[in-house]
Amino acid sequence: MRRISALCAAAAIGCADGLAAMNRVGVVFDIDGTLADSFRLGFDATNVVLQRNAFPPISEADYHDNCIYVTPERMARHAVGEHDEDLGRRLGAEFDREYIALVSTETAGFYPGLRPLLERLRDSGAVLGALTNAAVAYAEAVLLVNNARGAFGSVHGADSVERAKPFPDGCLRVAADLGLEPKGCIYVGDAPTDGAAARAAGYGAAVGCSYGSHAASKLEAS
């Protein structure tokens, strides 16, 4: 894991160096599976909520496969196999309460090598942002417990932008908050929807991290 996260860090630095001719570079990170090693937190909270509502628990593979969806849709698909807006909204809200309350450095600590990467990027003059398809309150909580919130000039979630990833709205919002054109930004994430959102927004580059929910082959195919 340490070697893989180091490779992702090296790729992010390489992309930032490639855009260094611009006055400033923005590096925007996903949270789960990219900055934070939070799989167990999300998986366990999902099954707690499902079983509390009389739905069967899911497997780890099911959890990973459905992480491309925003929380309400993901929870509905886990529960009944398809998107049910009312059910998803109810289960998603319950999940968020469970999930956010349990955030700590034990449940959502940064991956090895990520803290030095953030420091190196900032020392080089890059500005940082975060964009997740989870709730923005969750992203804020993760950054706070890891003593990193002050390093990020913009933080957004699926509930603080008009349309979540793979739509470009969040990427565009973060770039605007950072005072940058989209082409001056890099997105670092672990899901096909991350790369799709970055491309749709016109970001200069996207880095896929295969230590999260999706294998390198799936990221490359997207």
Side-chain angles (χ1 to χ4, degrees), residues 132-210:
T132 176
N133 265 1
V136 67
Y138 171 74
E140 294 279 5
V142 171
L143 296 177
L144 282 170
V145 299
N146 284 282
N147 295 317
R149 179 59 183 89
F152 287 78
S154 177
V155 179
H156 284 286
D159 56 345
S160 67
V161 298
E162 186 172 346
R163 297 177 300 174
K165 299 175 291 185
F167 293 100
D169 304 48
C171 286
L172 293 172
R173 177 71 179 276
V174 173
D177 287 351
L178 298 177
L180 298 172
E181 293 294 323
K183 66 182 179 181
C185 295
I186 300 160
Y187 194 92
V188 184
D190 72 314
T193 48
D194 296 328
R199 286 193 300 273
Y203 270 29
V207 175
C209 298
S210 60

Side-chain angles (χ1 to χ4, degrees), residues 33-58:
T34 301
L35 282 177
D37 186 2
S38 52
F39 159 70
R40 183 54 56 183
L41 168 62
F43 177 69
D44 289 347
T46 295
N47 277 331
V48 165
V49 171
L50 289 173
Q51 292 178 281
R52 185 187 292 152
N53 286 274
F55 294 109
I58 59 166

Side-chain angles (χ1 to χ4, degrees), residues 2-27:
R2 184 177 296 274
R3 179 175 179 273
I4 296 173
S5 57
L7 290 173
C8 182
I13 291 169
C15 287
D17 288 344
L19 297 178
M22 300 180 179
N23 290 332
R24 287 197 305 164
V25 174
V27 185

Side-chain angles (χ1 to χ4, degrees), residues 29-142:
F29 289 88
D30 181 39
I31 298 292
D32 289 332
T34 301
L35 282 177
D37 186 2
S38 52
F39 159 70
R40 183 54 56 183
L41 168 62
F43 177 69
D44 289 347
T46 295
N47 277 331
V48 165
V49 171
L50 289 173
Q51 292 178 281
R52 185 187 292 152
N53 286 274
F55 294 109
I58 59 166
S59 68
E60 293 186 3
D62 286 339
Y63 177 82
H64 285 307
D65 287 345
N66 284 280
C67 279
I68 60 172
Y69 301 110
V70 294
T71 301
E73 183 171 355
R74 179 178 68 80
M75 293 300 295
R77 288 179 179 276
H78 288 324
V80 297
E82 61 184 7
H83 183 37
D84 179 311
E85 189 171 346
D86 291 338
L87 176 63
R89 186 182 301 111
R90 179 171 63 81
L91 294 179
E94 189 174 336
F95 171 84
D96 283 343
R97 290 192 296 272
E98 186 85 22
Y99 193 45
I100 295 167
L102 295 174
V103 169
S104 69
T105 52
E106 287 71 36
T107 62
F110 281 177
Y111 283 103
L114 267 295
R115 190 175 300 281
L117 168 62
L118 299 181
E119 293 171 355
R120 181 171 173 183
L121 288 170
R122 291 195 74 202
D123 288 347
S124 71
V127 289
L128 307 180
L131 174 64
T132 176
N133 265 1
V136 67
Y138 171 74
E140 294 279 5
V142 171

